[in-house]
């Protein structure tokens, strides 16, 4: 994934229900900042000039994290999501990462079923917490 992919990737995200975006982290500037920190671990699938799917993945030197994995609904059930996840996991492993985490909304049944199929297990022993350091606007797709 490159910064030039932003508009098409954002359109892909907006076409997918169950995602949670926001106006700062997921802005062009926010995604460019993420790609600069993680230049080798984020991928798109492109078919005939159309971006059909995307995955943001990166790490902090210790753990890998996956964000915003999406495949346009018109292109699902073709192995695109699995290929994107496998590419990201391989790239993270090449950077020495041995464990990867992600967050999926509980209400995102299709997304959670996808992650389960790929061997990502839910953890019942954690409480996910966050704190915004500035005002952000959330966008639920």
């Amino acid at each position: 994934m490159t910064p030039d992919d932003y508009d098409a990737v954002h359109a892909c995200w907006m076409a997918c229900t169950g995602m949670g975006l926001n106006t700062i982290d997921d802005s062009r500037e926010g995604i460019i900042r993420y790609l600069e920190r993680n230049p080798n671990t984020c991928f798109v699938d492109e078919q005939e000039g159309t971006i059909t799917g995307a995955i943001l993945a990166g790490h902090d030197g210790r753990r890998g994290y996956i964000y915003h994995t999406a495949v346009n609904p018109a292109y699902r059930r073709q192995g695109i999501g699995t290929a994107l996840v496998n590419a990201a996991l391989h790239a993270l492993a090449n950077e020495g990462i041995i464990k990867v985490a992600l967050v999926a909304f509980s209400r995102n049944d299709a997304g959670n079923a996808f992650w389960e199929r790929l061997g990502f297990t839910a953890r019942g022993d954690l409480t996910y917490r966050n704190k915004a350091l500035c005002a952000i606007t959330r966008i639920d797709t």
Side-chain angles (χ1 to χ4, degrees):
M1 183 185 300
T2 71
D4 291 338
D5 296 324
Y6 177 80
D7 289 330
V9 168
H10 191 270
C12 181
W13 292 338
M14 295 305 290
C16 298
T17 58
M19 295 189 65
L21 308 172
N22 74 59
T23 56
I24 296 176
D25 297 328
D26 303 313
S27 67
R28 179 180 308 279
E29 296 77 19
I31 296 303
I32 290 170
R33 188 171 49 250
Y34 190 84
L35 293 173
E36 288 172 350
R37 291 183 55 88
N38 300 281
N40 302 314
T41 56
C42 300
F43 298 93
V44 297
D45 180 76
E46 185 174 343
Q47 296 182 26
E48 299 177 8
T50 298
I51 289 182
T52 60
I55 188 169
L56 291 178
H59 66 86
D60 59 12
R62 181 173 175 272
R63 289 287 182 260
Y65 300 94
I66 294 175
Y67 304 94
H68 295 350
T69 305
V71 175
N72 183 299
Y75 293 89
R76 289 186 180 163
R77 306 246 181 252
Q78 298 178 30
I80 294 168
T82 300
L84 288 167
V85 172
N86 287 339
L89 295 177
H90 181 74
L92 290 167
N94 282 343
E95 295 193 13
I97 301 303
I98 61 168
K99 190 173 181 182
V100 178
L102 62 91
V103 174
F105 289 115
S106 299
R107 63 179 160 72
N108 186 349
D109 294 332
N112 282 301
F114 171 78
W115 293 115
E116 285 285 328
R117 279 194 306 276
L118 293 183
F120 285 78
T121 57
R123 299 219 17 199
D125 61 330
L126 299 175
T127 300
Y128 180 79
R129 298 180 187 275
N130 65 15
K131 179 178 176 130
L133 301 179
C134 64
I136 59 173
T137 301
R138 182 173 155 162
I139 303 166
D140 289 329
T141 62

